[in-house]
Amino acid sequence: MAATESVLDVLIIGAGLSGINAAYRLQTEMPGRSFAIVDSRDAIGGTWDFWKYPGFRTDSAMALFGFSWYPWPHVVSMAEGPQIQKYIEDAAAAEGIDKKIRFRNRVTAASWSTNEQRWTVSVDVRQKDGSVEKQVLKVSWLIGAGGYYDYEKPLQVTIPGIERFGGEVVHPQFWGDEVSYDGKRVVIIGSGATAVTLLPSLAKTAKSVTMLQRSPSYVASRPRKDYGFPWLEKFLPLSWTRTLNWWRRMFIETFAVWLLYTFPNFGRKGLVEGMRRQLPKSFDVDKHFNPRYDPFTQRLCFCPGGDFFKALNQPNAHVVTDIIETVTETGIQLKSGETLEADMIITATGLYLVLLSGIVMTVDDVRVDQDLGKRFIWNSVMLEGIPNAGVVHGYTAATWTPGADVRTRKMFKVMRRMDELGASSAMPYLGEEERVKLPQKPALNLSSTYIVTARDRVPMSAGVGPWRMGNNWLSDVLNLNFGSMAGIQYGTADKSKDD
């Protein structure tokens, strides 16, 4: 079937939190621009519609994790996936954004033409009968808001002997309704947020649940409900309460992140002692919950109401810190000689990172998606050498959404600057002489395995000037409002201009 063609000012890829927020900012700050949101899935919500494993939830306070323009309406602070998905759906409907979403639309390729000053985007549109219709979009701007991991494949980790296991092997990324763990001996391989969420959920009905980790992680408890909100509501109008509560949560988080980054030894002691108080007296905290790394060198794990620690106070929940020798037909043999008998193994071993949703991307017929690790990021949102495109990414050491929002607004500031100059393109640009002087650091500088193994797929950050990846909302807001727009080359079909 011949491809149909249409023209748009802006194409947003992804109908999750970042994509819906980008659409809201676009239609309120720059009304009149035509846009659409495309998503390969059948429903709104992105991550929050995708994952189905037991207990799946956010580890951030919803007062911040939700949209600032559509306040979270519930007292529950660390909400589960279905509740968040419904919230995103309601927010999009309230602003008419839902009418701009094109579901079952997978972007496969995007090609920038300097002569045309726009992108040609190839889209596979999946019909309800399973057939695929080809569509071509001519787009002035691309916004990648599809998250940072591949929905179709997890991080590939070698687990010796896993093919011999006689029980069931499940990866949380592909959890389905058919998975049953009731009355079974379950081993979860991993120590990140997924494992910390799974353990208390499975322990309710499993015979036993063991979290097997190579090294410890930091786990901190957070209140299950936001008790500050109802207290403020007693004295203030609802709109004031929501605004003040947002700022209260932002201040607390910004201060806490700064404190842990600035005084890591103090932070380590506080986090470890917090875990020690919630675990049985006989528990070996130094072995199982005293990480070798400083806080935020890897992501902190949070649990609502201390549910993770409460589970570990029960006889059927355990943590083992050891190395896998091999998986046998009936369990896991460890380097220490211990054997973990199992009926089910859950491989919570990480995500496969991919930016720009794995799209084949070219600029004037030169492939650019395969060398992102050699390109600098501009103010956390645009990529060196790629015009009229942004990658929306939230914070990794703080709540995602405020970071995604401030970066989206920085990108729109570039668009407004283009209007002032009468330009049709904007591209982060570094001359070779300047480029070689810049420090080269990964934009995502966590030491988690799934991030370290993706260094060639993640852009660089110099940590100076506009060539940086911010990790602090306050500094990013100051940069948005007062920061230089240097480093952008503006152009039209026949000329260019540096800002």
Side-chain angles (χ1 to χ4, degrees):
M1 183 182 294
T4 58
E5 184 173 307
S6 59
V7 179
L8 291 167
D9 291 325
V10 181
L11 183 67
I12 300 170
I13 303 171
L17 272 167
S18 301
I20 300 302
N21 184 72
Y24 172 82
R25 292 297 184 192
L26 182 64
Q27 69 180 20
T28 53
E29 295 185 12
M30 288 183 290
R33 277 179 165 83
S34 61
F35 75 93
I37 305 171
V38 293
D39 199 292
S40 61
R41 296 179 55 73
D42 297 278
I44 202 168
T47 287
W48 305 102
D49 176 66
F50 175 72
W51 294 85
K52 304 298 181 186
Y53 65 80
F56 174 57
R57 53 164 175 77
T58 177
D59 56 5
S60 299
M62 286 303 303
L64 288 183
F65 194 70
F67 304 118
S68 60
W69 46 269
Y70 191 83
W72 176 248
H74 309 291
V75 176
V76 173
S77 184
M78 295 180 70
E80 295 194 355
Q83 194 176 21
I84 299 173
Q85 190 275 337
K86 180 63 167 57
Y87 162 76
I88 299 171
E89 200 172 64
D90 291 345
E95 297 295 334
I97 297 169
D98 56 334
K99 298 178 177 61
K100 298 287 189 177
I101 304 173
R102 303 176 184 181
F103 293 114
R104 300 184 298 278
N105 278 234
R106 180 186 296 276
V107 176
T108 58
S111 176
W112 171 264
S113 168
T114 298
N115 289 333
E116 290 187 49
Q117 290 286 284
R118 60 183 179 179
W119 292 95
T120 298
V121 182
S122 301
V123 183
D124 284 351
V125 183
R126 178 167 47 88
Q127 306 300 310
K128 290 184 179 180
D129 63 3
S131 63
V132 175
E133 177 186 306
K134 300 291 185 181
Q135 187 176 40
V136 174
L137 304 177
K138 296 291 187 176
V139 178
S140 296
W141 264 85
L142 275 181
I143 299 177
Y148 63 101
Y149 65 90
D150 193 317
Y151 280 17
E152 296 178 359
K153 67 177 179 180
L155 178 68
Q156 296 301 310
V157 177
T158 301
I159 302 175
I162 191 72
E163 70 282 353
R164 296 204 305 266
F165 184 59
E168 188 174 7
V169 178
V170 181
H171 194 287
Q173 194 161 333
F174 308 113
W175 197 286
D177 294 338
E178 75 283 357
V179 179
S180 175
Y181 50 88
D182 293 358
K184 294 181 179 179
R185 297 167 299 175
V186 182
V187 175
I188 306 167
I189 301 176
S191 60
T194 302
V196 169
T197 301
L198 276 167
L199 184 139
S201 299
L202 304 187
K204 294 174 183 176
T205 57
K207 182 177 181 180
S208 67
V209 182
T210 301
M211 188 175 87
L212 173 59
Q213 58 183 15
R214 288 182 304 176
S215 58
S217 296
Y218 293 106
V219 184
S221 296
R222 273 184 170 171
R224 194 177 292 273
K225 296 182 178 180
D226 188 345
Y227 295 102
F229 184 87
W231 184 84
L232 289 169
E233 199 175 16
K234 293 178 182 178
F235 308 100
L236 298 170
L238 181 60
S239 60
W240 290 20
T241 299
R242 286 173 170 169
T243 300
L244 187 58
N245 194 49
W246 190 93
W247 281 102
R248 178 181 69 90
R249 298 298 314 197
M250 178 54 74
F251 173 79
I252 292 170
E253 178 173 283
T254 301
F255 178 74
V257 171
W258 171 83
L259 190 68
L260 291 176
Y261 266 127
T262 308
F263 304 102
N265 291 333
F266 170 80
R268 169 193 289 272
K269 183 177 179 181
L271 289 167
V272 172
E273 287 306 310
M275 292 186 282
R276 194 185 305 276
R277 286 194 299 270
Q278 297 175 81
L279 290 164
K281 289 191 181 346
S282 60
F283 200 94
D284 192 343
V285 175
D286 290 331
K287 179 178 180 180
H288 301 301
F289 289 108
N290 192 0
R292 297 187 297 266
Y293 57 87
D294 290 334
F296 288 129
T297 304
Q298 296 184 21
R299 287 197 67 179
L300 246 62
C301 296
F302 294 97
C303 60
D307 63 352
F308 177 73
F309 299 108
K310 289 174 182 176
L312 291 176
N313 277 275
Q314 303 303 313
N316 70 328
H318 315 277
V319 172
V320 173
T321 305
D322 211 326
I323 304 296
I324 297 174
E325 179 73 38
T326 188
V327 177
T328 67
E329 291 81 358
T330 59
I332 300 177
Q333 180 71 44
L334 303 175
K335 290 278 189 183
S336 64
E338 183 181 357
T339 298
L340 301 178
E341 298 296 330
D343 305 306
M344 174 184 286
I345 293 175
I346 300 174
T347 55
T349 48
L351 306 168
Y352 182 83
L353 260 65
V354 59
L355 296 185
L356 299 169
S357 301
I359 298 166
V360 176
M361 183 174 280
T362 59
V363 173
D364 293 330
D365 298 323
V366 176
R367 190 88 178 259
V368 295
D369 60 290
Q370 294 180 316
D371 65 352
L372 297 182
K374 298 178 182 178
R375 298 174 184 270
F376 281 99
I377 196 161
W378 183 88
N379 279 315
S380 309
V381 71
M382 295 181 71
L383 300 175
E384 177 195 1
I386 303 180
N388 289 27
V391 181
V392 178
H393 194 282
Y395 295 127
T396 53
T399 300
W400 176 277
T401 314
D405 181 57
V406 72
R407 291 160 182 176
T408 297
R409 292 163 65 195
K410 189 72 174 184
M411 178 172 42
F412 291 164
K413 191 171 183 178
V414 174
M415 291 188 193
R416 288 192 292 272
R417 179 63 174 157
M418 286 171 58
D419 292 345
E420 293 171 2
L421 296 173
S424 52
S425 66
M427 181 182 72
Y429 175 78
L430 270 170
E432 191 57 34
E433 187 175 328
E434 181 185 3
R435 196 178 194 280
V436 296
K437 296 177 182 178
L438 293 177
Q440 297 184 5
K441 308 172 186 176
L444 298 179
N445 61 355
L446 301 182
S447 62
S448 304
T449 301
Y450 74 101
I451 290 178
V452 172
T453 56
R455 288 282 155 81
D456 62 333
R457 302 188 296 277
V458 175
M460 297 184 295
S461 168
V464 295
W467 309 104
R468 56 186 286 277
M469 189 74 178
N471 59 12
N472 178 281
W473 181 80
L474 181 59
S475 65
D476 279 351
V477 167
L478 291 173
N479 180 49
L480 168 67
N481 292 314
F482 307 109
S484 169
M485 299 292 283
I488 294 288
Q489 187 178 76
Y490 299 91
T492 61
D494 56 357
K495 60 182 179 180
S496 63
K497 177 181 179 181
D498 293 339
D499 199 351

